[in-house]
Every structure is written in C-alpha cells, then in structure tokens.
Amino acid sequence: MKPALAALFLSPLLIAAPAFAQETNELPRFEALQQQEQAFEQRRVDNLETQRQRELDRMAAPNSGFTGADRAIRDLEYARERDRIILQGELEREQVARQRQLENTALPNRRIAPYSSLVVTNPEQYILPPAPPGQYYARLNGRFVLVDRTSELVVKVLEPQPTDPTADVPLGPRPPPRPGLPTARIGASSDYVILNPTSLSLPPAPQGQFYATYEGRILLVDLQTERAVKVMER
C-alpha cells in the first residue's frame, strides 16, 4: 500500500480514536475473585486463632515448663499478627473505596457522544422519565447520568434507585473478616447455653455438642473441651 493511500485509510480511524476510547469505560466485575480474596483473608484469621488456641492450651498443660508470663507474651504476639492481617485488609478496602469515590467525583467531567454504546436508548425500560430537551441519558460506572447534547458533557448524575440495574456497578470494598472463634471455655451448665435451639430455628446439635450465645454470636460448642468449634450463620 502506498504511503499516501495508507495515510488516507488510517486518518478516519485516528480521528475517531477518542470516541472509540471512551467506549471502554465500563469496569468489569470480579465477584468470584473478590469472594476468593475474602475467603483467603477469613481463612488466615481463623487458622491463626486455631493455632493460638492450640499453642496456649499446650503451654497451660501441667509440667509444660511455661509460666503465665510466657503465655501472656505468646498471646500478645498472636494478637499483633491478627491485627496486622486485619489492618492489611482494611488498607486494601480503603484503597478500593477511595478509587470508587474518585470515579464518582469525575462523572460530571466525562464526555459521552450521542452514538456511544453508553447512551440509554430506551429510558422507559429503566423507569426513567423522558430526558429534558437537548439532553439524553447514559449509563456510566453503574450510574444513570444526563448528558448535554451540544457539549456532550455529563450535566447531572441521578441518584441510585432500587429499580436500577447492578450488572455494571463496580464492586465496592470486600467486607472485613468475621472475628475468630472465642477462646473462652463455655460449660454446658453456664448461662450462655441455648436450652431451646428450635426457638432460634437451629437444627439439633450434633452428638457431644451444644449451642451457646456468646458475644452476640451463636456458637456450636464441644461438650468435652468446652470450646467453640463453629459460628452459626443466622
């Protein structure tokens, strides 16, 4: 292809490049990845708590050679490691929240051409009223916006409604991990025991175990060790 002919062929594409670039605005959603990250963080907290409980029980055994001070120091080390894991996850969540806030703040400065794939051509499908004269709707970063037809700039960001779609809404920060299992012993005769599990829609406890309410959570407790083995989901 001759240079002049190639330039003539490519020039329309170069002129239209900004318009094509803005079509790639919508962020993909990674629910599965977020769930994996949440499960990994929760597993780290749970495994650390299990390891802590096992080691402190071993250190508290008769003739173990460990003093109360030794156990307190080891317990403090575990607490610091747990706080480090939780702080790391919290910093990641704050970073995602800040990024989401910046994206929302930048919405009024976006330009959306009338032929963009982001333009909403059927507002009635989303229970939107007719757009004002000289304006049209678009869907940007999971939000409905009004765009000025002359300047092609976003002039208004609509408040989210319960009927709005959510498939294109960027994921927010993943929730923090649940607290680990409590290490306190819960005896079968204590006031924490749930005497009537059916009143809380709980299935019968497995043999050798019972339910208890402790620190606002429903726990499944081992009868022999008097230790919580599971947090029951409500």
Side-chain angles (χ1 to χ4, degrees):
M1 183 179 294
K2 295 182 179 180
L5 184 59
L8 181 63
F9 176 75
L10 292 175
S11 58
L13 296 179
L14 295 176
I15 295 174
F20 286 127
Q22 68 179 349
E23 305 302 327
T24 61
N25 172 71
E26 293 185 16
L27 299 177
R29 293 170 63 86
F30 299 100
E31 285 93 342
L33 176 60
Q34 188 189 53
Q35 290 174 0
Q36 291 176 1
E37 292 175 343
Q38 173 66 15
F40 176 71
E41 185 179 5
Q42 184 65 56
R43 208 160 41 239
R44 291 179 67 189
V45 173
D46 292 343
N47 290 343
L48 185 67
E49 185 62 30
T50 300
Q51 183 179 348
R52 168 181 174 272
Q53 180 175 307
R54 186 183 300 118
E55 183 170 354
L56 292 181
D57 286 347
R58 179 179 60 82
M59 295 176 69
N63 303 321
S64 65
F66 293 99
T67 65
D70 294 331
R71 293 194 299 273
I73 293 174
R74 192 67 181 124
D75 192 20
L76 179 61
E77 292 173 348
Y78 274 109
R80 288 174 175 172
E81 177 63 16
R82 182 189 64 242
D83 292 343
R84 187 190 67 80
I85 295 174
I86 294 176
L87 177 60
Q88 179 182 357
E90 185 62 30
L91 292 176
E92 293 175 358
R93 285 186 284 273
E94 290 180 358
Q95 182 180 4
V96 173
R98 285 195 300 269
Q99 181 63 30
R100 182 73 181 277
Q101 184 179 8
L102 289 175
E103 292 168 355
N104 290 336
T105 304
L107 288 180
N109 298 321
R110 294 298 304 271
R111 188 184 299 275
I112 305 176
Y115 50 80
S116 169
S117 62
L118 302 177
V119 172
V120 177
T121 57
N122 50 347
E124 63 279 356
Q125 178 181 347
Y126 304 105
I127 321 179
L128 292 171
Q135 298 180 351
Y136 52 88
Y137 288 109
R139 182 77 174 169
L140 186 61
N141 285 358
R143 300 287 295 274
F144 285 114
V145 298
L146 275 172
V147 185
D148 179 71
R149 189 172 296 276
T150 302
S151 65
E152 299 180 358
L153 288 173
V154 173
V155 294
K156 182 178 181 181
V157 181
L158 276 64
E159 292 296 327
Q161 301 297 321
T163 54
D164 288 354
T166 57
D168 59 342
V169 177
L171 288 174
R174 64 179 185 271
R178 302 183 305 274
L181 292 172
T183 58
R185 294 183 180 273
I186 304 176
S189 59
S190 70
D191 295 334
Y192 300 114
V193 175
I194 298 175
L195 301 177
N196 185 15
T198 56
S199 63
L200 300 177
S201 301
L202 294 170
Q207 186 175 1
Q209 297 178 341
F210 59 90
Y211 294 113
T213 303
Y214 187 79
E215 295 181 344
R217 294 181 291 171
I218 297 178
L219 308 174
L220 187 62
V221 184
D222 182 74
L223 180 62
Q224 183 176 2
T225 63
E226 299 183 345
R227 298 285 193 181
V229 296
K230 183 180 179 182
V231 177
M232 303 302 297
E233 299 292 341
R234 296 194 177 186

